[in-house]
Structure formats: C-alpha cells, structure tokens
Amino acid sequence: MAAALGPPGLRGAPGGGTSTSHGPSSAAPSLEQIRSLTELADLEATYGRLCEEEKAVEEELERLLEQQGALESKMTALHRMGVGEKHKLGFFLQNRLYQAIQRADDILDLKFCMDGVQTALRNEDYEQAAAHIHRYLSLDKSVIELSRQGREGSIIEANLKLLQEAEQRLKAIVTEKFDVATKQEDLPQVERFFKIFPLLGLHEEGLSNFSTYLCKQVANKAEENLQLVMKTDMSDRRAAVIFADTLTLLFEGIARIVETHQPIVETYYGPGRLYTLIKHLQTECDLQVEKVVDKFVQQRDYHKQFQHVQNSMMRNSAGEKIEPRELDPVLTEVTLMNARSELYLRFIRRRVVSDFEVGDAIASEEVKQEHQKSLDKLLHNCLLSRTMQELIGYYITMEEYFMRETVNKAVAMDTCEKGQLTSSMVDDVFYIVKKCIGRALSSSSIDCLCAMINHSTTELESDFREVLCNKLRMGFPATTFQDFQRGVTSAVSIMHSSLQQGKFDTKGIESTDEAKQSFLVTLNNVEVCSENIKTLKKTLESDCSKLLSQGFGGEQAQPKIDSCLSDMAAVSNEFRDLLQEGLNELTNSAIKPQVKPWINLFLSVSHNIEEEEFNDYEANDPWVQQFILNLEQQMAEFKAGLSPVIYDSLTSLMTTLIAVELEKVVLKSTFSRLGGLHFDKELRSLIAYLTTVTTWTIRDKFARLSQMATVLNLERVTEILDYWGPNSGPLTWRLTPAEVRQVLALRMDFRSEDIKRLRL
C-alpha cells in the first residue's frame, strides 16, 4: 500500500519508464493523497518532504526578490522600444504562420490536382483537366521545392511527375482537337479548345492558332466576294462603286469577328491580348485589300488614267487632253474606298486602345507608351494604309485636273441672261469647287482634304480671279460729253455708210452697251465670289469640326485645316480688293467725267447776289435741283445693273467725289450774305437727297462743306468767335484757322483787315 501511495516522484511513468526525481523541488503530494494516508511512517515522510519543499520555495522567493530591480529596468527598456517593434514582431510571426498554412494547402492542392486531372482525362473532360493543370501551374514553386525536401518528398515527387506527364498529354490533345475542329470548320469546338489554351499557359499559341482559323474564314469570304465583283454587270446600280463595296464587306467581316470574339479573348486570355489577335487579322486584311485594289486598278485603268492626266497637265494640245467627266466615277469610288478604310482603322484603334487601357491599368508609363507605339506602327505601316495613301496621291492630282479643266469649261461657256446681275460661270465654278472639296472631305483623309482646299484656293486666287481681273481691265466705256459728241459723229458716219450699202448696222452701238453690261456683271461676279468664299469657309469649318469630332486625323489635323481655311479667307479679301479696284475704275470712267462738269456749273451761278436775285433763286433754282436730277438719271443705270451692296458702295464713292469737287468750286466762288444763305440751302438739299440713296454716313463726308456754309452765313467777321475755340461746344471743326480765313475772304462784304485781325 505504501508503495502504491508513495511520492509521485517514485511512481511509474507512463510507457513503463521511471520518472527521475528532482529532490526537494519535485512535485508535492496532492491534498487527496495526504488525506488517504493511514500509516504513521508515511505521514512523517510526507511531512518531511513538505518542510523541505517549503524551505526551497522560500529560498527561491528570496532570490527572485533580489532580481526585482534588474527586471523592472529591463521592463522599462522594453516599454521604451515602443509599439512599432511589437507590431513588427507580430507581422513577422503572422507571415510565418501564413506561409506554413500556404505550404500545407499547396501540398493538399498538389494531391487534389493529380487525382482530378487523371479522372478528367479518363472522362475526356478537357476543361476540367485544364483547370486542374492551371491550378497546379499556379502553385508556389518555392513551396513545392521545400516540400520535396521534407519527409513526404518522394510522394510529392511522384505527384509532380504524374502532373507534368498529364500536362504534356493534355497540351497535345488540345492542339490536336483544335486542329481537327478548324479543318472541319466546327466553330463551337474551335471556340471550346481555344478557351483551354490559356489554362495550360499557351496564350500565344492559342491566339496564333485561332487567328489562323479566323484568317482562313476572312480569306474565303473575301475571295467569294471578289469573284462576284468580276461577274457584276456594268449596268448594275452599284457597279460604279463595286470595289468600294467589296472593301466594305471585307472590313465589316473583320469588325464582326472582333466584336464577336473580343469578349472571349478578354475573359479567357485576359486584357491586353486583343492586339495579338488583331495583328494576325490585319495581316490577312492587307493581303485581301491588295487583291481588291489590284483588280480595281486593272478594271478602272486607274494608273493609265493618272498617266493620261499627267500628260494632259504638261501639254497644251487640247486634242490630247482627257475629258474631265471620264474621271468623275473613278474619283468618287476612290474617296469612298478610302473613307471605308479610315472608318475600319478607327474601329480597330478604338478596340485595341480600350483593351490596352484595362490591361495597363497598373502598368508603368513606359509600358503604356510602348503599347501605343506598337499600335501606331501597326496601323500606319500596314499595307492597307500604304495602299490607300498611294491611291489618294493619284486621286489628288486627278481631282486637281478635273477641277481646273471643268472650271475652264465653265468660264468658256459663260453666259448672262437678261435681267440677271451675275453670269453663269460664278455659280458653275463654285459648284465645281464645292464638289471637288466635298469629295475630298468624303474620303475622311485630312491630308487629302487639305490638299484639295489648297488647290481650290489656288484655282480661285490665280486662274479664276485673273479671268475677272482681265474683264475689269477692259474698263467701262467712257461717257463724257466729249465722248458723247464723238459717239454721235460716229453714229452719223455709220448711218451714212449703212444707207449707202442699203442696210443699217448697229454693231458699234451694241458693242458699247455690251461692254458696259459686261463690266457691271463682272463687278457683281467679283462681289458674289468674295461672299461665296466666305460661305464656303464657314461650311468647311463646320464639316471639318464634325470629321475631327469622330476621331479622324490625329493631333495635327486641326492646325492643318486652320491654316488651309485661313488661306481661303485671304482669297476672299483679295476678291474684295479687286471689287474696290473695279469700283474705283467705274467711278473714274463713268461718274467723275460727268459729275465734275455738273459741279463746275456751280461757278456759272453767281452767289454774290442781292435780295431780288435771292428771291428769284428761291422760285427757280439755278443749279442744285438740276444737279440732283442729273445724278438720279446717271445712277439709275447703275442701280439696275449692280447688286445692292455694290450700288451702295458706288454711291458712297460718288458722294465722296461730290464733296471733294464741290469744295473746290466753292473756294473759287464769291459770296454775299444772301449768296451764303442760298449756298446753305443748296447744300442741305443735296445732303438730303444723297442720304436717301445710300446707307453710308453722308454728313461726315460733307462736314467741311457744312462748316464752310456756316462761315459764309455769318453777319460779321467776328461772329466766327462765337463758334470757335471754347465756344465750339460739341462741334469739332474740320477747317483749320487758315481755311476759315480763306472762306471768310470769299465774302465780298468782309474786309480783309478784319479777317487778318482774327485770333483763331
């Protein structure tokens, strides 16, 4: 019993071993054990042990109390280390814990993948098998390597070998199945195995194989469409643009492929991979475009026509020139072909850019720029872009020739219907120019558009403006009194000669009228041209803005267009300057020679008059009313033959001329007090009439004459001081002090001494 209830340190240890005693410091008997003791010897032995243990505990307590100060110092130092060190330690321990858990999970995943792939392959469930392989390939290789070195290294090594064999086997199966599906053109199966490639890490191979399949589909359809083109009847409604339609079908087919398969590529291959697919498709697109364009060049004799145009532009022989209308259909088709190409390339760019944006969301700026450069290189250097640039290069030369020759025809066929202010060539020329620029605009090529705007500007500025300029240089037939006399003498001679021959020839008279009409019509033509160019510029600004808003042209497009339109606006101003030259010529040839003698009649009317003469002038005006009547009769011809804008400008020039010439004759006249008053009335009547025939400001032009009338109406010389200097009020004197004295001297009743004494 004593042996059974002996001290714990002497009891049998689990597993049959014997526990080693630690002397007094061994574990004390429990309260239950002490209560169960009945023998005295056992009680004494137990009591002795407890006393020894108590003594040892007291000694240990004293030792610990001696170390209290050192422990407190260490605790303070540890506290000062701060929370950061504790956190670092915590994170370190946490990471190590996660690594351990990850290692355990990876080992379990490895076993799961090995079992799963074998089962999936047996069941021909290739998607599931690929998923297991993908999971295996995603495992941390360093963890697997560490696991190989553990106790289960041999098992893991065997699993890895089986998985690697399954991976190679599955790759071979998927490739084979994909090839079979493509040969059978089984799209569902093609897409099925296309989705498996990225799970096996075969992204490039999958995209390449799938692209090959899609390119074959594109090629077959393009060949089929091209064969239909060759069989198209030329009387067909779309025959004139059949090659543009064929390219459109090609581009639409590729766009449909991209739209259909872009979600698959993004979902199974990840963002940023669409570029690879499109790069392959663009290669096939280039091949098919080359075939279509070759047929176009052959069927339309494009190069031959271009060569003919070049020869026609270099030679002056009319017999060798190609007829412009023969070029019209082919030029329209080329612009349509280029427009479809630009639309397709813009679609491709938009799709790839959006795909790159998702894929490069966290990429560096260098990677983003590299991707952008790759895309730019693909689109700018592809055969499609280069082929279209070549076609458009030929087109620009041919369109320039078309415009120039057609404009020349319009000028040669120019007619002016009776009652019309302008001749036919103005509308015809601007119709042609707008047609050529509009056709270039429809190509969606900014360079092509700018080239044709520049050619149109040159055509209007040089060739067409020169035509109008030459007509104006012929001048307006003179109509002075002397010329009229010569005209009467000439008419008498013509009549005498005609009567002797038994007939009357009016050719000389008619030619003069025609020359007048031609000059006035040309002025109207010039004015309409200037306005048409402004309108054309505004229209082009709007059309170009719409084109650029759709993404065509790139960053440099707007400055190019602005430069071209600025040159066009300058041409409008040149036409405006030419109009002003023509108006000056008309004023000098037709108005000044007649107005000047009418104004000179002012000198034949005495203004040094008394009251009786003044009253007579009031009843029967000797000059101004007849002068106004003459002006009305003269301007009636111009009002009927000129546009309202030009007529108004001509009236303004005439008004300026009248003011200048009238001032000259006034300074040659002499006045009495009543003569000055009559002149003031004459001037007011003239100003009132001229105000009714023009919208220009009249009073400003007659300001000097009005002030001269004021001076001539003064009762005495010194009265001028009431209107001069500080007393002038709102009036701004246009006459200098010397000119005021000169006008005062015209009054016969003012003494020169009084005039000289004035302090102005």
Side-chain angles (χ1 to χ4, degrees):
M1 184 177 180
L5 297 175
L10 302 177
R11 295 177 63 186
T18 305
S19 176
T20 304
S21 174
H22 297 284
S25 62
S26 60
S30 64
L31 185 59
E32 288 76 7
Q33 289 176 332
I34 294 173
R35 287 177 178 173
S36 65
L37 295 178
T38 56
E39 297 296 331
L40 180 60
D42 294 335
L43 288 171
E44 289 177 347
T46 300
Y47 175 72
R49 287 179 58 206
L50 290 172
C51 290
E52 291 176 359
E53 188 170 339
E54 180 182 8
K55 185 177 179 181
V57 169
E58 288 177 352
E59 292 175 355
E60 181 68 18
L61 181 60
E62 288 177 0
R63 185 175 63 79
L64 291 174
L65 289 173
E66 290 175 357
Q67 297 177 356
Q68 181 179 3
L71 288 173
E72 287 179 350
S73 299
K74 289 182 179 181
M75 289 296 292
T76 302
L78 287 172
H79 181 70
R80 288 174 181 172
M81 289 174 67
V83 179
E85 293 295 331
K86 296 178 184 178
H87 285 179
K88 289 181 182 178
L89 180 61
F91 289 143
F92 173 74
L93 294 175
Q94 188 180 38
N95 288 337
R96 292 299 299 271
L97 177 61
Y98 286 157
Q99 289 173 3
I101 295 172
Q102 183 66 42
R103 179 179 175 185
D105 287 343
D106 286 349
I107 293 172
L108 291 174
D109 284 346
L110 198 63
K111 182 67 170 64
F112 176 75
C113 291
M114 191 272 293
D115 293 338
V117 75
Q118 298 293 342
T119 302
L121 285 174
R122 282 195 299 271
N123 296 334
E124 295 187 355
D125 188 353
Y126 302 118
E127 288 84 359
Q128 189 62 40
H132 287 302
I133 294 297
H134 181 69
R135 190 171 182 182
Y136 150 63
L137 294 174
S138 301
L139 295 177
D140 191 338
K141 298 297 184 291
S142 61
V143 173
I144 294 175
E145 192 60 35
L146 287 173
S147 301
R148 281 179 170 179
Q149 301 170 8
R151 289 182 299 175
E152 299 180 353
S154 58
I155 299 174
I156 291 173
E157 187 70 36
N159 288 344
L160 285 173
K161 185 176 181 181
L162 289 173
L163 280 170
Q164 290 168 357
E165 291 175 355
E167 178 188 357
Q168 296 305 319
R169 181 184 169 197
L170 183 57
K171 285 180 178 179
I173 291 173
V174 169
T175 302
E176 180 184 355
K177 295 284 186 183
F178 184 86
D179 291 342
V180 171
T182 56
K183 289 177 182 178
Q184 296 176 349
E185 297 187 0
D186 187 348
L187 182 58
Q189 288 298 307
V190 169
E191 292 183 349
R192 175 193 177 191
F193 291 103
F194 172 62
K195 297 172 184 177
I196 293 177
F197 279 107
L199 296 175
L200 304 177
L202 302 175
H203 295 79
E204 293 299 325
E205 186 176 343
L207 287 169
S208 177
N209 291 343
F210 190 54
S211 298
T212 302
Y213 164 75
L214 294 177
C215 288
K216 185 179 179 182
Q217 303 298 310
V218 170
N220 292 340
K221 191 64 178 175
E223 184 64 31
E224 180 183 330
N225 290 333
L226 195 56
Q227 292 300 323
L228 290 175
V229 169
M230 305 311 297
K231 298 176 183 178
T232 301
D233 188 348
M234 287 299 103
S235 62
D236 188 274
R237 186 172 59 88
R238 300 291 297 179
V241 291
I242 192 66
F243 290 100
D245 287 348
T246 304
L247 282 183
T248 303
L249 291 174
L250 172 65
F251 298 146
E252 287 178 347
I254 296 175
R256 199 175 299 112
I257 287 173
V258 173
E259 283 186 332
T260 303
H261 296 100
Q262 182 177 2
I264 299 175
V265 173
E266 289 179 347
T267 302
Y268 293 92
Y269 285 75
R273 300 275 186 175
L274 182 64
Y275 172 77
T276 304
L277 177 68
I278 286 181
K279 188 167 63 173
H280 287 92
L281 286 171
Q282 187 55 45
T283 302
E284 184 61 37
C285 176
D286 288 343
L287 293 175
Q288 300 308 320
V289 166
E290 186 176 25
K291 293 179 181 179
V292 175
V293 171
D294 286 346
K295 289 292 183 184
F296 164 78
V297 171
Q298 178 185 346
Q299 293 287 319
R300 306 299 196 209
D301 288 331
Y302 194 62
H303 289 163
K304 188 180 294 184
Q305 286 187 324
F306 171 72
Q307 193 64 46
H308 199 168
V309 165
Q310 278 193 317
N311 295 337
S312 298
M313 293 176 76
M314 289 187 292
R315 298 173 185 173
N316 295 323
S317 176
E320 297 180 357
K321 289 186 176 181
I322 186 172
E323 184 63 31
R325 65 169 175 265
E326 294 179 13
L327 301 174
D328 205 26
V330 72
L331 294 177
T332 300
E333 188 168 24
V334 169
T335 54
L336 186 57
M337 290 167 68
N338 194 79
R340 296 291 185 263
S341 301
E342 292 285 347
L343 189 64
Y344 161 76
L345 291 173
R346 189 166 66 94
F347 166 81
I348 294 298
R349 177 181 293 278
R350 191 170 62 248
R351 290 287 176 158
V352 175
V353 166
S354 63
D355 187 55
F356 274 151
E357 285 177 352
V358 177
D360 296 343
I362 57 174
S364 64
E365 194 61 34
E366 290 77 10
V367 172
K368 293 179 181 178
Q369 291 179 359
E370 187 62 34
H371 283 164
Q372 187 61 46
K373 288 179 181 178
S374 299
L375 177 59
D376 291 340
K377 184 177 179 181
L378 172 67
L379 298 183
H380 292 157
N381 297 337
C382 66
L383 186 62
L384 168 61
S385 293
R386 288 185 280 116
T387 300
M388 287 301 147
Q389 286 174 4
E390 182 181 0
L391 290 180
I392 287 296
Y394 294 145
Y395 159 82
I396 291 171
T397 302
M398 296 164 74
E399 186 74 273
E400 179 191 4
Y401 173 81
F402 174 86
M403 178 175 62
R404 184 182 302 171
E405 290 300 312
T406 314
V407 165
N408 290 341
K409 281 193 172 186
V411 172
M413 298 170 63
D414 185 37
T415 58
C416 184
E417 298 293 333
K418 189 174 182 180
Q420 295 295 317
L421 295 179
T422 58
S423 62
S424 62
M425 68 176 176
V426 175
D427 288 341
D428 292 344
V429 166
F430 277 91
Y431 170 79
I432 294 162
V433 169
K434 285 189 283 187
K435 177 180 180 177
C436 294
I437 295 178
R439 186 151 52 194
L441 178 68
S442 70
S443 72
S444 299
S445 168
I446 298 300
D447 290 337
C448 174
L449 173 61
C450 289
M452 283 315 303
I453 291 176
N454 288 336
H455 286 316
S456 301
T457 300
T458 302
E459 179 66 23
L460 293 172
E461 179 184 23
S462 301
D463 299 345
F464 188 53
R465 183 178 178 276
E466 188 64 23
V467 169
L468 298 173
C469 196
N470 288 335
K471 287 179 176 291
L472 291 180
R473 285 197 189 105
M474 295 173 67
F476 189 83
T479 55
T480 62
F481 181 70
Q482 292 79 6
D483 290 329
F484 175 73
Q485 285 182 320
R486 285 197 295 269
V488 170
T489 304
S490 175
V492 170
S493 299
I494 292 172
M495 291 176 64
H496 182 70
S497 174
S498 300
L499 289 171
Q500 286 180 339
Q501 296 174 8
K503 61 180 181 178
F504 184 68
D505 188 2
T506 60
K507 185 176 180 181
I509 299 173
E510 288 179 352
S511 62
T512 302
D513 291 339
E514 288 175 0
K516 290 182 179 180
Q517 181 67 15
S518 174
F519 190 90
L520 298 181
V521 167
T522 303
L523 282 180
N524 293 328
N525 286 346
V526 172
E527 193 263 334
V528 171
C529 286
S530 178
E531 292 302 316
N532 282 353
I533 293 172
K534 288 181 181 179
T535 303
L536 179 60
K537 176 179 176 288
K538 289 181 180 179
T539 303
L540 285 175
E541 284 176 344
S542 175
D543 292 340
C544 291
S545 178
K546 292 177 184 176
L547 186 65
L548 295 179
S549 67
Q550 295 171 3
F552 293 105
E555 297 178 357
Q556 297 302 317
Q558 189 65 59
K560 288 180 182 178
I561 292 173
D562 290 343
S563 175
C564 295
L565 295 181
S566 175
D567 293 341
M568 181 173 283
V571 174
S572 175
N573 293 332
E574 289 184 19
F575 274 89
R576 184 62 62 182
D577 293 341
L578 179 60
L579 173 61
Q580 193 59 47
E581 292 176 16
L583 283 172
N584 291 336
E585 166 65 22
L586 183 60
T587 302
N588 293 330
S589 299
I591 295 179
K592 187 173 182 180
Q594 294 201 24
V595 169
K596 193 171 181 181
W598 294 339
I599 292 177
N600 287 336
L601 290 175
F602 181 88
L603 294 172
S604 65
V605 178
S606 174
H607 284 75
N608 185 13
I609 57 176
E610 299 300 330
E611 187 170 352
E612 182 180 351
E613 292 169 300
F614 177 78
N615 293 332
D616 185 46
Y617 284 0
E618 284 282 293
N620 301 294
D621 182 84
W623 176 76
V624 73
Q625 294 302 324
Q626 184 61 44
F627 179 55
I628 291 174
L629 182 60
N630 291 339
L631 290 178
E632 280 184 326
Q633 291 175 346
Q634 183 192 44
M635 297 306 289
E637 176 187 2
F638 299 126
K639 188 172 185 179
L642 294 174
S643 71
V645 173
I646 301 179
Y647 176 74
D648 206 33
S649 299
L650 181 64
T651 305
S652 176
L653 290 174
M654 181 188 70
T655 303
T656 303
L657 174 65
I658 292 172
V660 172
E661 294 299 325
L662 184 57
E663 184 177 329
K664 291 179 182 178
V665 297
V666 167
L667 292 174
K668 295 178 183 178
S669 302
T670 57
F671 296 84
S672 64
R673 170 75 178 83
L674 291 175
L677 180 60
H678 181 67
F679 170 64
D680 184 66
K681 291 182 177 181
E682 289 177 315
L683 186 61
R684 291 177 185 275
S685 297
L686 182 59
I687 292 175
Y689 162 71
L690 292 175
T691 302
T692 63
V693 297
T694 181
T695 59
W696 294 78
T697 302
I698 297 298
R699 295 192 179 279
D700 187 60
K701 295 183 179 183
F702 283 84
R704 286 174 57 85
L705 280 168
S706 296
Q707 291 174 7
M708 291 171 70
T710 300
V711 173
L712 291 172
N713 266 297
L714 298 177
E715 292 186 5
R716 60 185 183 280
V717 173
T718 55
E719 191 179 349
I720 185 64
L721 299 177
D722 294 338
Y723 303 95
W724 192 265
N727 300 323
S728 63
L731 175 65
T732 301
W733 279 91
R734 302 293 181 88
L735 300 176
T736 64
E739 289 172 333
V740 170
R741 289 188 174 93
Q742 184 182 4
V743 174
L744 285 170
L746 300 179
R747 282 282 295 273
M748 301 303 294
D749 52 332
F750 287 167
R751 294 191 307 168
S752 60
E753 293 81 3
D754 295 338
I755 297 173
K756 289 178 181 178
R757 281 199 297 267
L758 280 175
R759 293 183 179 181
L760 298 176

